[in-house]
Amino acid sequence: MTPNDFIPDQWYPILDSETLRRRRPVGVKRLGERLVLWRDSGGNAVCATDRCPHRGVQLSLGRVCDGQLECPYHGLRFNAGGECVMIPANGDDAPVPRGFDLISRVVREGHGLIWCWYGDPALATDAIPWFVEAPDPGPRTGWIADDYPVSYLRVMENFGDLHHVPFVHRATIPGAGTRAEVEEARLDGDVVRLKVTLRHQRPRRLKIAYSFATAIRLPALVSITFARRAHFVAAATPIDETHTWLWARYRQDYVPGWMGGRLIARLGARFDFRSVFSRQDMRMLASQQLDNSCDISHYHLLEADGAIALYFAIRKRAIEQAQSKAAAPSTLSAAH
Ligand code: FES
Ligand SMILES: [Fe+2]
């Protein structure tokens, strides 16, 4: 396993595209590192380490001028490739030594998100991980994001488990049965698929059977469809080992956009995140006691936890594959 629990050689969503405007840089902490994002003169997202090579100031406090990032302290300027192109104290036209360049990150924009490649840049894939059924930005969608003080692995477990609903969410999602009938828990290529219906032990009128179709894929993405017309896609990107940036987009297929469908999706997102996840799930997640956040060997998983077991299995496989790729050049050189 990696020392920091993060899965290498993956595209991670790090910011919603709407948040990154033309004139202002945005600073975030993701995968244990402070990053600055801005848009170049063509509107393309750019990302680099959020630390000025001059004297360490956070560049995200600066501004964007003609697509270049300007440090707020002494005005050093950086182009979209991360190269320092101006040191005002030396004179605007003075040549700039190369030691002032930023460490750039490979980023891409897709599905309304900005994605950062975490791992060897030479291995960055063309495809961004997504789900065919996941909602893209549209008139019936709303998104929300917040930071949470737990490992992303606890969040992913929570998404892969629906049998907590009748207990943790009793007050906000009333009437869900406690018996989790697992119709499907399997690996479909790279995607973990789970279909669960929460049934009552003794069916009666006014007791609802809730059905969920969940898909999970690396590095930490989930798509859930419930009641067939409400869809949800979420990303649990690590901020660091013990904090997670949780982003989610909701789409509802009941009310069209022109009748306020976007507002309903936004309110749904807010309700689910703030009322359900923050107040109810987080109490459980923050109380989970693990010596090592990525070691779940002491869990006693149930059949209804099948998606959790599968997620940890594909995660382990991806980490081992990345480790063997990283080891390959040294093996070759040792052979010579
Ligand atoms: S610290 Fe950035 S220009 Fe001096
Ligand atoms: Fe929950």
Side-chain angles (χ1 to χ4, degrees), residues 52-59 71-78 88:
C52 181
H54 177 219
R55 275 164 47 198
V57 156
Q58 264 185 271
L59 293 162
C71 178
Y73 206 3
H74 312 97
L76 264 66
R77 282 230 193 160
F78 305 91

Side-chain angles (χ1 to χ4, degrees), residues 185-247:
R186 69 185 173 94
L187 206 50
D188 173 15
D190 297 339
V191 179
V192 175
R193 295 211 176 265
L194 174 74
K195 278 191 189 159
V196 171
T197 300
L198 298 174
R199 292 197 187 282
H200 292 273
Q201 302 291 338
R202 279 176 232 82
R204 267 194 273 147
R205 273 200 326 138
L206 300 178
K207 287 203 168 178
I208 311 150
Y210 286 94
S211 292
F212 301 85
T214 303
I216 297 175
R217 65 182 303 163
L218 298 178
L221 303 164
V222 64
S223 155
I224 301 180
T225 300
F226 45 99
R228 301 218 172 157
R229 296 177 120 192
H231 312 269
F232 157 96
V233 61
T237 298
I239 293 172
D240 57 27
E241 286 86 343
T242 53
H243 294 79
T244 299
W245 177 70
L246 181 54
W247 168 96

Side-chain angles (χ1 to χ4, degrees), residues 5 55 68 86 105 125 127 135 151 207 216 231 269 292 306 315 318:
D5 299 358
R55 275 164 47 198
Q68 295 179 341
M86 194 204 297
R105 299 284 164 223
T125 56
S151 160
K207 287 203 168 178
I216 297 175
H231 312 269
N292 173 342
R315 174 180 175 275

